C-alpha cells in the first residue's frame, strides 16, 4: 500500500473532531469512542445522542469550525456530511496542519456536481447511464414532451441532500417535477441531468482510499424511498442492512476491475487530493454494474450498519488515512450483521413535524443512533426529518432485523413514521 515517509505518531494527536450532526456522525463517534484514544473528543455541532460520548460545540458552518480549530494543536478531523466538503473545509483544515479525513474541494465535485461526475466517468469509460444536461426550463420541458419511453430519471446536478432525484413514471410526473424544481432558480445553475433509467438491484459500495490505493468496506444496501410503494418520494434513506451476500465473488471482481480500480486510477491521474471514503452507488444490471452516483463520504444510513460490524481500531485507521496511508490491504470480514430502521417525523421529507417528545427503552443487541434530536430541560425531542436510526445486531440479517424492530417497538415517538420492510425479502428487493 502507498505510504508516506512522514507519518505522524498517534501521540501527536491533541484531540478528535467529527463534523456533522446526524446519525452517521453519531455512528462514527461511537466507533471512535470504542477505540478510546485518551484525547478530547468533540462534535460540531453534534446532537442529543452524541453529547453522551463527546463534547458538542455550537459550530454550524465550515468557517466557524475552521476558526475554532486554529489554536487546538494537531487535531484528527473526520468530516461526515457532503456540504462542508463541497465548500472546501478539508483544504482549509489541512492548511492549518490538522490530519483530515475527507477529500479536497476539487475532489468533492464528484458528489457536489453530478455534471462533473458524469463527465469524469465518460472520460475514463466508467460504466454509467447515458445522460444529457439542461440548464434552462424550456429546453428541458421540450425534451420531456418529445419523449416516448418512460420511466425517465431527473437529477439535480447540485447537492440536494438525497432529495434531488426523481424517477418519473410518466410524462406528467416529469413535467410536474420540472415545475416544482423551477421555483428555485439555483437548480438550473449547475443543470438538471436527464438520464436513462437503469434496471436492476442497487448496492452501496464504500471504500477507504488515499487516492492511490483502497480497501473495501462491507457491502451495504439502503432503502431510499419513504415507503415500499414504487413511486414513493425519494428521501435521504429510510433504512439499510449489511453485509450484502447476494453478490457473487465474480460480480465483486467485476466491480473491482471495471469501476473501483479505474475510478481510483482516474482520481490519481486528475491529481485530486483524496483521503477519505468514496461511496459508489451501483446498479447491478444485466449488462453489468453501472454507477448511479458518487458520494465523497460515508452514506447515511449505511454508516450506521457498517461501523458496528467492522472490528478495527477506528482511531488508528482514521489517523493513518488522513495522512494518506492505509493500515492494511484488506479489512477483516464482518463480525456480525446489522439492520437499520430510520424513524422519521410525520411530514418528512417535505414538511417534517418537530418538537415531539421521545422516550427510548433500551433493548439488548441494539444501538440507537441519533440524528435530529435535541435535549430540552432533560427531555429528548425531535428536531427534524430523520430523527433516529435504530440498529439491530445479530449473527445474521434475520436476527439483526428482529432486534431492530424490537427496539423500534420500545420507542415512544408520536407522529413518527418508519418502513416495516427493511431487510425483508432481500433477494426480491
Amino acid at each position: 500500500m502507498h505510504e508516506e515517509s512522514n507519518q505522524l505518531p498517534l501521540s501527536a494527536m491533541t484531540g478528535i473532531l467529527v463534523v456533522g450532526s446526524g446519525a452517521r456522525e453519531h455512528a462514527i463517534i461511537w466507533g471512535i469512542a470504542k477505540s478510546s484514544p485518551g484525547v478530547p473528543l468533540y462534535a460540531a455541532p453534534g446532537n442529543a445522542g452524541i453529547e453522551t460520548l463527546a463534547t458538542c460545540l455550537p459550530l454550524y458552518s465550515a468557517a466557524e469550525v475552521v476558526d475554532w480549530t486554529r489554536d487546538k494543536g494537531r487535531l484528527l478531523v473526520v468530516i461526515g456530511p457532503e456540504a462542508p466538503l463541497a465548500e472546501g473545509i478539508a483544504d482549509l483544515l489541512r492548511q492549518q496542519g490538522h490530519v483530515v479525513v475527507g477529500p479536497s474541494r476539487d475532489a468533492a465535485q464528484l458528489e457536489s456536481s453530478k455534471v462533473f461526475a458524469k463527465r469524469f466517468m465518460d472520460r475514463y469509460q466508467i460504466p454509467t447511464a447515458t445522460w444529457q444536461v439542461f440548464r434552462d426550463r424550456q429546453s428541458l420541458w421540450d425534451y420531456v414532451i418529445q419523449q416516448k419511453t418512460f420511466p425517465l430519471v431527473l437529477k439535480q446536478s447540485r447537492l440536494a441532500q438525497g432529495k434531488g432525484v426523481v424517477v418519473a413514471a410518466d410524462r406528467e410526473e416529469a413535467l410536474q417535477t420540472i415545475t416544482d424544481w423551477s421555483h428555485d432558480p439555483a437548480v438550473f445553475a449547475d443543470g438538471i441531468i436527464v438520464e436513462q433509467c437503469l434496471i436492476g438491484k442497487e448496492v452501496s459500495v464504500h471504500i477507504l482510499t488515499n487516492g492511490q490505493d483502497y480497501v473495501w468496506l462491507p457491502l451495504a444496501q439502503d432503502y431510499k424511498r419513504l415507503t415500499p410503494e414504487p413511486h414513493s418520494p425519494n428521501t435521504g434513506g429510510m433504512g439499510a442492512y449489511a453485509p450484502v451476500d447476494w453478490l457473487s465473488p465474480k460480480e465483486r471482481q467485476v466491480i473491482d476491475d471495471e469501476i473501483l480500480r479505474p475510478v481510483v486510477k482516474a482520481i490519481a491521474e486528475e491529481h485530486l487530493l483524496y483521503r477519505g471514503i468514496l461511496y459508489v452507488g451501483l446498479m447491478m444490471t444485466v449488462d453489468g454494474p453501472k454507477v448511479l452516483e458518487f458520494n465523497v463520504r460515508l452514506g447515511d444510513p449505511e454508516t450506521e450498519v457498517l461501523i458496528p460490524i467492522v472490528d478495527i481500531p477506528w482511531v488508528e485507521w482514521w489517523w493513518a488515512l488522513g495522512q494518506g496511508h492505509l493500515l492494511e490491504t484488506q479489512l477483516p470480514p464482518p463480525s456480525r450483521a446489522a439492520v437499520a430502521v430510520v424513524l422519521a417525523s410525520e411530514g418528512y421529507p417535505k414538511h417534517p413535524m418537530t418538537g415531539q417528545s421521545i422516550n427510548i427503552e433500551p433493548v439488548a443487541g441494539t444501538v440507537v443512533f441519533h440524528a435530529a434530536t435535541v435535549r430540552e430541560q432533560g427531555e429528548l425531542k425531535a428536531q427534524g426529518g430523520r430523527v433516529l436510526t435504530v440498529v439491530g445486531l445479530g449473527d445474521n440479517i434475520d436476527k439483526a432485523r428482529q432486534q431492530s424492530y424490537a427496539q423500534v417497538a420500545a420507542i415512544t415517538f408520536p407522529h413518527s413514521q418508519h418502513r416495516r420492510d427493511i431487510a425483508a425479502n432481500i433477494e426480491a428487493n
Side-chain angles (χ1 to χ4, degrees), residues 229-277:
E229 296 302 314
H231 303 303
S232 171
N234 262 318
T235 72
M238 294 299 292
Y241 68 87
V244 167
D245 60 8
W246 47 259
L247 274 181
S248 68
K250 183 179 179 183
E251 287 173 314
R252 285 179 62 108
Q253 191 62 52
V254 171
I255 291 169
D256 214 35
D257 293 342
E258 296 186 5
I259 293 172
L260 298 183
R261 200 170 296 124
V263 166
V264 174
K265 185 181 178 188
I267 285 170
E269 287 188 18
E270 300 262 332
H271 304 290
L272 298 172
L273 180 62
Y274 209 114
R275 296 175 180 173
I277 301 94

Side-chain angles (χ1 to χ4, degrees), residues 394-414:
D395 294 336
N396 54 52
I397 294 292
D398 285 343
K399 289 180 181 175
R401 183 174 190 273
Q402 289 170 15
Q403 292 301 108
S404 182
Y405 280 103
Q407 178 63 82
V408 168
I411 295 175
T412 305
F413 179 8

Side-chain angles (χ1 to χ4, degrees), residues 302-334:
E302 290 94 339
T303 308
E304 294 94 286
V305 292
L306 291 175
I307 297 279
I309 69 172
V310 177
D311 290 332
I312 58 173
W314 280 104
V315 174
E316 292 177 31
W317 268 91
W318 293 137
W319 181 249
L321 185 59
Q323 297 178 75
H325 176 51
L326 299 173
L327 292 183
E328 304 287 347
T329 56
Q330 63 183 43
L331 298 181

